[in-house]
Amino acid sequence: MSEQNDTAETAGETAAEGVTEPGTETEGMAEPGTETEVAAESGTEVAAEPAGDSAAGQPSASAAPPAPRATRSLRGALRWVAAVAVFAVCGAGTAYGVTRVERTDVPGLATLSDGRWDYPELVRPPLPAGRPAPFADSNKAAAHYADLRQLVLPAPNGATVDEALAKDNGWVKPGTFLAEYAAKEDRDTLAGTFTDRGLRHIAARGWTTPDGTRTRIYLLQFDTGAVAGDVQQRNFFGYDQAPYPLRGAPSTVADSFPARAKVPNVSEEVYVETKPYGAEHVRQAYLVAGDVIGLVVQSRKGGTKAVPFQQTVVLQEQLLG
């Protein structure tokens, strides 16, 4: 039941770092890593030569005459050679240690990826003058007053934008959204619901990453949070499988995210296609946040990956929450 929990916990933790209010600074979506300082200290103490036999602390009766000046110079030179050799060995050992340490442990070097995508820094769009945030106490309708198109998650770096979803300045017609569903009767049912419940508009964005994963995000806005919540419960909530199968995903099972990945004021219903897969493996999540219902879909031939899917859903939730 919890493929997401086993493979994608880390993405939920990092995803929770990314969104800022306008005019504030954040660390963005940078990938977290463990910094380990690698240092080696080396020191060499060159002992002074004894002045003579000192077994009892007294000079010997047969003490040798003072060494010639040339002998003392040679002895000093040998000491310096020994010291340089010791420092050279220590320095070489330090350099060897750095090159032998795993690259994931040395600050400033690349770390192995856990599959998360490189999203740009996320900033919530500004609110119109005098309008409250969606979950402010004064906002009884739980309405999102910011431009809905700016609340759609941007594509990660390196992805190819889906021009079909971008051609009308980010707005799409209900028919474009309904085309995600396989059965005509399901599309007709949802179309009637949207008319009866006063769907205002739909904002969307899509992209394809270099590994072939296709992502589509739709945000549907209604008049109030109460209306959106009712539409969600009646049409997009399934106890053990998605209520309306998407194209290419005739059989699904309910999934979930770790508790630490939850975003306040946003709830989600997550489903994953079961084997045998069709031409593409499909993951989907329905979100509800105030007056907005969201649908996040990812599909890929050979199998979608749990980590970027959870990351994408949680970041979208943060923009709405």
Side-chain angles (χ1 to χ4, degrees), residues 197 220-234 236 287-293:
R197 304 312 301 270
L220 291 70
Q221 191 167 36
F222 294 85
D223 284 335
T224 67
V227 173
D230 188 60
V231 172
Q232 167 81 353
Q233 288 294 314
R234 291 175 180 272
F236 301 123
L287 322 175
V288 60
D291 61 342
V292 173
I293 293 175

Side-chain angles (χ1 to χ4, degrees), residues 38 40 88-102 106:
V38 179
V89 171
C90 292
T94 302
Y96 180 78
V98 171
T99 57
R100 291 290 296 174
V101 171
E102 293 296 329
V106 181

Side-chain angles (χ1 to χ4, degrees), residues 147-192:
D147 189 330
L148 190 66
R149 294 168 296 179
Q150 295 183 41
L151 290 173
V152 183
L153 184 68
N157 296 322
T160 301
V161 174
D162 185 342
E163 296 296 340
L165 296 181
K167 63 182 180 180
D168 193 17
N169 296 318
W171 299 117
V172 298
K173 299 182 184 302
T176 301
F177 171 81
L178 294 172
E180 293 284 350
Y181 296 90
K184 182 179 184 302
E185 55 268 32
D186 292 343
R187 297 195 296 270
D188 291 344
T189 297
L190 288 173

Side-chain angles (χ1 to χ4, degrees), residues 133-320:
F135 301 103
D137 292 340
S138 61
N139 191 342
K140 303 304 181 184
H144 288 77
Y145 290 108
D147 189 330
L148 190 66
R149 294 168 296 179
Q150 295 183 41
L151 290 173
V152 183
L153 184 68
N157 296 322
T160 301
V161 174
D162 185 342
E163 296 296 340
L165 296 181
K167 63 182 180 180
D168 193 17
N169 296 318
W171 299 117
V172 298
K173 299 182 184 302
T176 301
F177 171 81
L178 294 172
E180 293 284 350
Y181 296 90
K184 182 179 184 302
E185 55 268 32
D186 292 343
R187 297 195 296 270
D188 291 344
T189 297
L190 288 173
T193 297
F194 293 162
T195 299
D196 295 342
R197 304 312 301 270
L199 174 65
R200 296 176 57 193
H201 39 235
I202 304 175
R205 179 170 290 122
W207 62 81
T208 302
T209 49
D211 70 347
T213 301
R214 297 191 305 125
T215 299
R216 288 91 72 200
I217 299 178
Y218 302 90
L219 299 185
L220 291 70
Q221 191 167 36
F222 294 85
D223 284 335
T224 67
V227 173
D230 188 60
V231 172
Q232 167 81 353
Q233 288 294 314
R234 291 175 180 272
N235 296 273
F236 301 123
F237 177 79
Y239 288 100
D240 55 359
Q241 62 183 2
Y244 298 125
L246 299 182
R247 292 185 185 274
S251 176
T252 60
V253 63
D255 204 349
S256 62
F257 293 161
R260 70 183 68 185
K262 299 298 183 182
V263 175
N265 302 312
V266 184
S267 63
E268 79 272 336
E269 302 295 332
V270 183
Y271 307 96
V272 59
E273 182 184 3
T274 57
K275 293 182 178 179
Y277 304 151
E280 295 182 315
H281 179 226
V282 180
R283 295 179 188 268
Q284 56 191 288
Y286 290 96
L287 322 175
V288 60
D291 61 342
V292 173
I293 293 175
L295 172 62
V296 179
V297 184
Q298 284 188 356
S299 57
R300 178 176 178 266
K301 183 178 180 180
T304 55
K305 298 177 181 178
V307 170
F309 177 68
Q310 180 181 326
Q311 179 196 20
T312 300
V313 171
V314 172
L315 289 176
Q316 180 60 74
E317 289 179 344
Q318 287 187 337
L319 282 170
L320 292 172

